Amino acid sequence: MNPALANTLTIDGQVIPFTQGQTIMDAALAAGIYIPHLCHKPGLTPHGSCKLCTVDIEGRNVSACTYPASAGMQVANNTPALNEVRKTLIQMLFVEGNHLCPTCDKTGDCTLQALGYHLGMLDGHFPPFYPLREVDASHPDFILDRDRCIMCALCVRASQEVDGKNVFALSGRGANNHVIVNSPSGKLGDSDLTQDDLAAHICPVGAILPKNQGHEVPIGRRTFDLHTVAESDLAVALMKTEHHDD
């Protein structure tokens, strides 16, 4: 291999560097390349469950958030075929939960909604499930609406790996998969979740929402009203890199 290409890979024709131990997603975000994702958050253990970050490596599909970068790798990311599959995954997530954007306080800050716009989703395509899962409003500061949960497990990992607690977990399989609360009663109000916990603020949809803050930021001035999901994610990744370099 050309020594100049050691520790580089190519994404959509762009040669970018990587360091040992980085995944394709890590290298892409560091280079300012956006790969759509929902269950990935830098600093947390990759989960690889949403499959939105699936990329093509010479005919083989892999999850960019879990697959290690290697020298000479040729990655296809922003292709019509991959984006069409990603749009279908977003449509399936929308109909599997009660994602009624005009009535949700997360609108404008919701990554699922923003990805729908990013991928050109115009409708749900599939019949809605209208699930009836328990809504837990027992906590004084937060509400847990399981009908909006997309099982990304970000709250589970944030609670365990950053907060040093174990407030959330996923239980059940298939259509019965749902988030549970580790407390004596199973209620959020009996857990040790606090305002400072990352798990309380990391939900990419409206499943975990703060109370008493409805419309504190008006619609039209929220994160994805002002920036695309790609701009927002790449800006966050850049801030983390600069902070790490400091």
Side-chain angles (χ1 to χ4, degrees), residues 59-141:
R60 180 184 179 191
N61 289 339
V62 302
S63 296
C65 71
T66 58
Y67 202 84
S70 63
M73 181 180 280
Q74 298 287 327
V75 180
N77 164 46
N78 188 22
T79 71
L82 286 172
N83 285 334
E84 189 61 27
V85 173
R86 290 165 177 158
K87 184 174 75 173
T88 300
L89 290 173
I90 292 294
Q91 289 172 318
M92 293 169 70
L93 287 172
F94 258 92
V95 302
E96 287 175 0
N98 292 340
H99 299 289
L100 309 173
C101 299
T103 64
C104 179
D105 196 50
K106 190 79 172 184
T107 189
D109 289 325
C110 175
T111 308
L112 180 66
Q113 180 190 41
L115 277 165
Y117 285 122
H118 177 79
L119 295 167
M121 175 182 153
L122 299 177
D123 57 40
H125 184 72
F126 304 103
F129 282 23
Y130 295 126
L132 288 174
R133 306 188 188 107
E134 182 186 6
V135 176
D136 184 345
S138 60
H139 196 282
D141 299 315

Side-chain angles (χ1 to χ4, degrees), residues 160 165-169 180-187 190-192:
Q160 294 174 348
K165 302 178 182 178
N166 193 26
V167 173
F168 298 104
I180 60 173
V181 176
N182 292 315
S183 71
S185 65
K187 296 290 187 182
D190 292 329
S191 74
D192 53 356

Side-chain angles (χ1 to χ4, degrees), residues 202-214:
I202 201 170
C203 181
V205 295
I208 302 174
L209 283 173
K211 291 182 175 177
N212 306 314
Q213 297 181 23

Side-chain angles (χ1 to χ4, degrees), residues 1-10 15-16 18 70-74:
M1 177 180 290
N2 184 339
L5 297 179
N7 290 340
T8 66
L9 72 156
T10 302
V15 179
I16 65 170
F18 71 93
S70 63
M73 181 180 280
Q74 298 287 327

